[in-house]
Amino acid sequence: MLYMHDLWVNWFEGEENGYNICRFHEWRKEDGIELIDQIPLVLVDDELFDFIENDLQDLPLSLLQDIHRRTYMKKNQERITVEYAAVVTNGKDVIVFDTLGYTLPVKKSRLIPRQERLVFEMVEGKKPESFKIESSSLKEHHILSLEPGRMSGLTRRERQLKQLLMMALDQLKHSDHPEEVRYWLTEWDPAQYPSIKQMTNEDAWAHLYEGTINGWGVHHEDLCEKLIKGQPFFETIWQGEHSDVSTHHLNSQN
């Protein structure tokens, strides 16, 4: 088995979509960067790589057995054994996972560029190991888990705010005040006001969703800010993305 040493990781927990596991250039100062002392490296096929990167289901039992207690973290000069963790690659991309003792990839991270290049060098010319995905349910994208294409080209901040907007729209759909939907659609697209008055609440919500689902811009941000006003949980997320954030650079490691 191949092993990597002294690996910097930036864990994203409970993420089922690869676009939320941020690349190194989007790491922030306040992210909790950790150091892994030793971790196995596994070359897998494209199917399993995509399954690990873009889902949150049980990993193949044979993979878990292979990597069991082979990872060590360093915390306060102490070497801690990790139950199930590994670096996986399909030869084109890389991801690290830690199951936190469960059987699914609860925490995931990207690598810094230098260590990513090392992964590709280590697996060059080798064949992927074969692991059978035991059973999995077909993943479905929805308003709270958008298709990757809907997030393509957006920055970390834009993705976070777009998810916040979708959460607010989902809440609006199930609101006790359905007449609000037409109000917000008018805010989004005032030119449609004459036809909006004739719409059912369901049609108005569908128009609002279809209008906001693609891309991200000032108009999206303006709607999002107004929609979440007075909702402490949403406002906390909003403020977190508007605080002074800067990229965390590990220049010596790059």
Side-chain angles (χ1 to χ4, degrees):
M1 179 168 278
L2 297 171
Y3 289 95
M4 300 194 74
H5 300 273
D6 300 323
L7 230 59
W8 294 103
V9 289
N10 180 15
W11 296 121
F12 292 86
E13 195 164 326
E15 292 293 354
E16 62 171 331
N17 292 303
Y19 54 71
N20 282 331
I21 306 154
C22 295
R23 305 276 174 185
F24 172 70
H25 68 273
E26 290 191 318
W27 291 8
R28 295 172 176 172
K29 278 184 178 178
E30 65 269 26
D31 289 342
I33 314 298
E34 293 185 6
L35 183 64
I36 297 178
D37 189 36
Q38 173 188 295
I39 188 168
L41 166 62
V42 186
L43 177 61
V44 299
D45 60 25
D46 290 341
E47 183 189 11
L48 181 54
F49 185 86
D50 182 69
F51 183 75
I52 293 170
E53 181 184 36
N54 292 299
D55 223 321
L56 209 52
Q57 297 191 57
D58 288 334
L59 296 167
L61 187 59
S62 53
L63 172 61
L64 293 173
Q65 288 170 339
D66 281 359
I67 63 174
H68 187 225
R69 298 180 67 82
R70 290 175 182 260
T71 296
Y72 300 95
M73 301 285 293
K74 264 200 180 149
K75 286 187 180 172
N76 303 323
Q77 305 304 312
E78 193 181 344
R79 207 167 185 239
I80 299 163
T81 306
V82 178
E83 287 296 306
Y84 302 108
V87 179
V88 290
T89 181
N90 58 355
K92 300 182 282 286
D93 205 350
V94 186
I95 204 157
V96 192
F97 71 82
D98 179 354
T99 71
L100 292 181
Y102 299 103
T103 54
L104 56 161
V106 180
K107 297 198 300 185
K108 303 175 193 177
S109 174
R110 304 292 179 181
L111 291 182
I112 64 173
R114 180 181 64 78
Q115 293 176 331
E116 208 169 67
R117 289 193 296 270
L118 179 59
V119 167
F120 298 139
E121 289 170 14
M122 290 174 71
V123 300
E124 193 174 356
K126 292 182 167 55
K127 286 185 177 179
E129 294 188 49
S130 181
F131 298 101
K132 186 176 183 296
I133 299 170
E134 312 291 337
S135 61
S136 66
S137 53
L138 188 65
K139 180 174 176 176
E140 293 181 10
H141 289 284
H142 49 80
I143 190 170
L144 301 179
S145 176
L146 296 179
E147 297 165 11
R150 306 292 192 185
M151 293 295 199
S152 181
L154 304 189
T155 64
R156 177 174 176 176
R157 175 181 174 278
E158 290 167 344
R159 292 192 305 272
Q160 291 291 326
L161 290 178
K162 188 164 186 175
Q163 286 178 162
L164 178 60
L165 175 59
M166 291 301 124
M167 288 161 66
L169 287 180
D170 186 56
Q171 185 184 70
L172 182 64
K173 186 178 186 179
H174 303 100
S175 165
D176 292 335
H177 307 284
E179 67 281 356
E180 285 185 17
V181 178
R182 286 195 293 270
Y183 169 80
W184 289 114
L185 179 56
T186 306
E187 277 281 315
W188 172 256
D189 192 356
Q192 276 200 67
Y193 178 65
S195 59
I196 291 171
K197 287 194 295 183
Q198 312 303 320
M199 289 181 189
T200 64
N201 291 318
E202 290 77 13
D203 284 346
W205 188 88
H207 273 75
L208 186 56
Y209 176 67
E210 289 302 324
T212 55
I213 193 67
N214 291 312
W216 185 262
V218 176
H219 201 27
H220 287 83
E221 197 154 323
D222 185 48
L223 177 68
C224 184
E225 183 177 19
K226 290 174 179 173
L227 255 179
I228 65 165
K229 201 166 182 64
Q231 300 186 68
F233 175 68
F234 287 168
E235 285 184 334
T236 300
I237 298 172
W238 172 270
Q239 286 158 6
E241 292 305 319
H242 282 77
S243 60
D244 183 24
V245 295
S246 56
T247 308
H248 181 107
H249 285 298
L250 298 169
N251 294 320
S252 62
Q253 307 292 335
N254 206 347

